[in-house]
Amino acid sequence: MEDSMTAQPVVARGLEGVVSHETRLSDVDGERGKLVIGGYDVVDLARHASFEQVAYLLWHGDLPNPRAADELTLAMGQARHLPAPVLDLLRGPARQAAGMHALRMATAALSVGHADVDATDDESRLRTALRLTAQLPAVIASHWRIRKGQALIEPPDHLGVAAGYLFMLEGREPDPERVAALNAYMVAVIDHGMNASTFTARVIASTGSDMVSAVTGAIGALKGPLHGGVPGPVLDMLHEIGSPDRAEPWVRAALARGERIMGFGHRVYKVRDPRAEVLGEAAERLARWSGDRSLLDLTRAVEENTVKVLGEVKPGRDLYANVELYAALVLHAVGIPSELFTATFAVARCAGWTAHVLEQMADNRLIRPLSVYMGPRDRQLNAVF
Ligand code: COA
């Protein structure tokens, strides 16, 4: 029998295949390409539910009745107004920062003046979840307008999160078609199992820290191109490819240079990401409304050719479109500036992060894995001093 003291522990690189939590929030079935949010298929939710309804589902465990949904929408509208010190930060030091850097800086400041940020009762924690999710779009839009030298806009409180965000960015009430597409996007990406940013939020919460810290850390994790930082580069790629007939040679050349194709591949999904379906539908509706389907047709051609070429060049790796391919398309068609794509992802995912933090806090155990030491031992200090 092997001696347990000398056996080398197995390291799960990237924690691949490790189950770290039980959760009631969402389930990613990577083999069948299914995503369940609070018991419902994400495709059904994104087609029929509002972002506020699905946020409520995550925070409370059930979809709200119509009155509770209206109350939540209004409460989030009332909570979106930013405290003066946060606006000072956006006008001051954060003005130099772009995109996710500014969002991370300002989110960290959302604890200023928030009396119950460290409160541990359920009601205060829920209030903080609601407030943070409502304020992130205001942070992004305010920062955007400040950098452009434009006056800040306060939308009516009754406007939902998607409509309010566009209103704050653009300074006028947005078209319902664009609001609907943004809403579908936000529902599609609201939560996604134990992804890197959610895990980050739960690690921070598990130390007994607060929700503002957890969301700030999650924003840092989301920023990377292996997680949420990709839709901007996806759009650049689509523009660079330019036309459907150039898709195949472009992809072959990129792979020959050893590059990864943005918007393809996933740690869990071994089939097409189910969110690509919902977002593709939203893009189709927007294209019918605007009369312009050139980018949509290009994206479809890029997907078809990339899957074909990846199947040849990287056989057996099961590389298909992930959420970011169509996220870029939808966000662009909605009129969100590409610098704000990942920050907009954060707005939606904040509902998921905070729900996970609530779940972690309700049944906490410090998250503290082990490492295997591979460095030297028995070094002598007197060789140095
Ligand atoms: N383009 C080309 N090759 C890819 C690829 C892509 N988008 N994604 C994975 N691969 C290849 C890798 O090069 C590797 O090939 P190898 O076996 O020859 O070394 C193989 O597939 C496995 O990749 P691995 O890095 O182990 O996968 P992962 O589970 O760690 O990575 C992602 C998952 C999402 C990080 C990865 O697919 C990726 O970088 N995608 C592009 C960025 C992106 O779209 N990010 C958004 C994620 S939602």
Side-chain angles (χ1 to χ4, degrees), residues 225 227 230 260-261 263-265 267 310 314 317 319 322 324:
H227 188 6
V230 164
R260 288 185 175 212
I261 313 299
F264 291 84
R267 174 62 65 81
L310 282 171
K314 300 261 172 189
R317 269 65 147 219
L319 300 170
N322 63 44
E324 304 292 7

Side-chain angles (χ1 to χ4, degrees), residues 117 125 128-129 132 209-216 354 357-358 361:
V117 67
R125 284 173 172 169
T128 305
L132 277 174
S209 185
D210 67 286
M211 202 178 279
V212 174
S213 300
V215 169
T216 305
T354 50
V357 168
L358 292 170
M361 287 170 163

Side-chain angles (χ1 to χ4, degrees), residues 34-353:
K34 288 268 171 213
L35 170 59
V36 169
I37 308 272
Y40 300 91
D41 192 316
V42 71
V43 176
D44 291 335
L45 287 175
R47 282 179 186 150
H48 302 294
S50 71
F51 174 70
E52 292 79 3
Q53 286 172 315
V54 186
Y56 188 104
L57 170 66
L58 289 172
W59 291 333
H60 296 276
D62 288 303
L63 283 169
N65 60 36
R67 186 166 157 206
D70 287 348
E71 283 172 3
L72 177 62
T73 303
L74 184 62
M76 293 183 82
Q78 289 165 342
R80 69 164 67 100
H81 307 284
L82 297 177
V86 175
L87 289 172
D88 290 345
L89 176 77
L90 292 175
R91 291 196 180 96
R95 193 179 178 143
Q96 309 298 322
M100 290 295 277
H101 291 286
L103 180 62
R104 189 195 60 244
M105 288 166 77
T107 302
L110 288 174
S111 60
V112 176
H114 181 32
D116 50 5
V117 67
D118 286 315
T120 54
D121 60 290
D122 292 350
E123 239 175 73
S124 302
R125 284 173 172 169
L126 262 171
R127 261 203 313 278
T128 305
L130 180 158
R131 199 177 58 89
L132 277 174
T133 309
Q135 287 181 330
L136 255 49
V139 165
I140 299 163
S142 303
H143 182 254
W144 178 254
R145 291 183 73 88
I146 286 167
R147 270 166 67 95
K148 289 175 121 11
Q150 295 169 333
L152 301 190
I153 304 289
E154 300 243 314
D157 288 347
H158 70 268
L159 274 194
V161 175
Y165 180 41
L166 291 175
F167 197 115
M168 286 185 283
L169 275 173
E170 298 167 355
R172 59 182 182 279
E173 188 142 357
D175 318 282
E177 290 79 3
R178 291 165 58 232
V179 175
L182 181 58
N183 185 81
Y185 163 82
M186 289 174 63
V187 170
V189 303
I190 197 166
D191 196 44
H192 201 237
M194 204 47 59
N195 60 86
S197 56
T198 298
F199 186 65
T200 304
R202 290 191 78 133
V203 169
I204 293 171
S206 85
T207 69
S209 185
D210 67 286
M211 202 178 279
V212 174
S213 300
V215 169
T216 305
I219 287 170
L222 184 72
K223 176 174 170 288
L226 302 188
H227 188 6
V230 164
V234 164
L235 190 65
D236 296 342
M237 173 185 81
L238 292 173
H239 286 319
E240 204 180 311
I241 294 174
S243 63
D245 57 304
R246 283 170 41 92
E248 182 171 343
W250 191 96
V251 170
R252 285 195 189 280
L255 289 176
R257 291 193 299 271
E259 292 172 12
R260 288 185 175 212
I261 313 299
M262 295 293 114
F264 291 84
H266 199 273
R267 174 62 65 81
V268 184
Y269 290 122
K270 299 304 163 207
V271 293
R272 191 174 192 244
D273 188 323
R275 298 166 297 175
E277 185 63 32
V278 189
L279 296 179
E281 280 177 20
E284 290 281 354
R285 279 194 300 274
L286 265 187
R288 276 198 298 277
W289 171 72
S290 69
D292 177 5
R293 51 176 305 118
S294 51
L295 199 61
L296 175 57
D297 290 341
L298 175 62
T299 308
R300 298 264 189 230
V302 168
E303 179 179 4
E304 192 183 323
N305 282 284
T306 305
V307 169
K308 186 182 86 177
V309 175
L310 282 171
E312 284 169 34
V313 179
K314 300 261 172 189
R317 269 65 147 219
D318 300 321
L319 300 170
Y320 297 94
N322 63 44
V323 66
E324 304 292 7
L325 183 68
Y326 286 90
L329 180 66
V330 171
L331 292 176
H332 177 68
V334 164
I336 306 279
S338 62
E339 299 96 302
L340 302 185
F341 282 0
T342 304
T344 305
F345 188 170
V347 167
R349 188 52 66 82
C350 187
W353 291 332

